Amino acid sequence: MTLQVLPPEMLETPKDKIETKEAQPYWKPSSLKDGDSEEFRLLGCYETGHAIMGWQYASETQGSNGELRFNGYVVTRTHPGQPDDLARETDWSKPDRPKIDGTYVKPRRFLAWVATSAARGRLEVLFIEQKSLREQLTEILQEDEDYTWTDEGLANFSIKISRKGTGLETSYSILPKVRKVPAKIAEEWKTTNNSIWLPNFFEGKDPFDGKQVDEKGLPAGGVDKRGSTVMPKKAVKKEETETEF
């Protein structure tokens, strides 16, 4: 009998590159660094299930050891009030980042909208929590003579979202630019628009699973259902070929 002295992992051939998972198809303005910007084209609207407003809060649950721990984010259609699983605030002034008992992180309102990314050339969900950005976008969309939509609900313009500053000095801005929808994107939307249905957020389902049968084609609205997370695990495969924007 021959003993195996070395752990098998030590005999594995080293890899020449680090393997990483595909980035989630969700984008937040807070991911920008000071001075950076990204450009998007909005696809669909509220009526088609491709734009929703809701509330998000950080959740805590009791672990097996009896201590509270972070349990992801919960999405609701209306303000959740102060649910039992609302997470406590963190004391960022201390190295171990302890939770502060008796305090709670306030729920935040958000706007989610399906869009194509100019940088990544793929379908994404813009997840906008900044009130200033939502107000700027509302003003832009009300200028319907300049910034129009196709009959299929595709924006004939792009929006460039920029960040300036850091910390409490951070500010965001949106710059629209008239851009006619390329025929290629219009054709692709005909076959992909049903692959994403944002009201799934409120049902605890993945928006990239498409419209559910029991949804009956209705846009966001109705009674709150909690338990869905902001970042579903399922990702959309990035296209290998360069796409028009």
Side-chain angles (χ1 to χ4, degrees), residues 26-240:
Y26 296 81
W27 187 85
K28 291 186 176 184
S30 57
S31 65
L32 291 171
K33 295 180 180 180
D34 180 20
D36 286 350
S37 63
E38 286 214 25
E39 192 170 3
F40 301 88
R41 182 189 299 275
L42 300 177
L43 304 176
C45 59
Y46 170 79
E47 185 176 344
T48 62
H50 299 111
I52 60 171
M53 287 280 286
W55 292 84
Q56 167 192 280
Y57 70 87
S59 171
E60 284 186 337
T61 187
Q62 194 172 53
S64 57
N65 59 359
E67 294 184 359
L68 291 173
R69 59 180 176 81
F70 179 65
N71 191 41
Y73 292 92
V74 177
V75 170
T76 61
R77 288 190 175 95
T78 59
H79 194 288
Q82 190 170 316
D84 295 336
D85 60 338
L86 188 62
R88 297 160 295 168
E89 292 182 346
T90 300
D91 188 348
W92 296 100
S93 65
K94 298 180 180 179
D96 57 345
R97 306 290 193 266
K99 294 294 184 179
I100 307 173
D101 290 332
T103 65
Y104 300 95
V105 179
K106 294 181 179 179
R108 301 188 65 179
R109 199 171 194 187
F110 71 86
L111 166 67
W113 207 308
V114 180
T116 51
S117 161
R120 290 167 292 281
R122 69 176 185 181
L123 195 72
E124 297 187 347
V125 176
L126 304 187
F127 205 86
I128 301 175
E129 298 173 298
Q130 294 80 4
K131 182 179 179 181
S132 62
L133 282 178
R134 294 198 302 270
E135 291 176 343
Q136 291 178 60
L137 182 57
T138 298
E139 291 183 7
I140 292 170
L141 298 182
Q142 289 178 337
E143 297 180 22
D144 51 13
E145 292 185 1
D146 296 321
Y147 306 111
T148 62
W149 300 76
T150 68
D151 292 338
E152 294 74 26
L154 307 181
N156 281 314
F157 57 93
S158 65
I159 54 172
K160 183 169 75 172
I161 301 178
S162 304
R163 174 176 179 167
K164 182 178 181 181
T166 59
L168 297 177
E169 302 301 319
T170 301
S171 62
Y172 297 90
S173 62
I174 292 182
L175 179 65
K177 182 177 182 179
V178 175
R179 287 179 179 273
K180 186 177 180 180
V181 180
K184 183 176 180 180
I185 288 183
E187 286 299 317
E188 289 177 345
W189 183 244
K190 292 180 181 179
T191 59
T192 61
N193 70 85
N194 288 325
S195 68
I196 180 168
W197 181 250
L198 295 189
N200 282 355
F201 269 133
F202 303 123
E203 306 297 327
K205 300 171 184 175
D206 189 341
F208 283 90
D209 281 342
K211 185 188 297 186
Q212 304 299 299
V213 175
D214 58 357
E215 198 66 42
K216 298 180 181 179
L218 296 176
V223 180
D224 287 343
K225 290 189 179 180
R226 300 172 184 166
S228 57
T229 58
V230 171
M231 296 293 181
K233 295 181 180 179
K234 183 176 179 180
V236 170
K237 184 178 180 181
K238 187 175 181 179
E239 295 182 11
E240 298 296 333

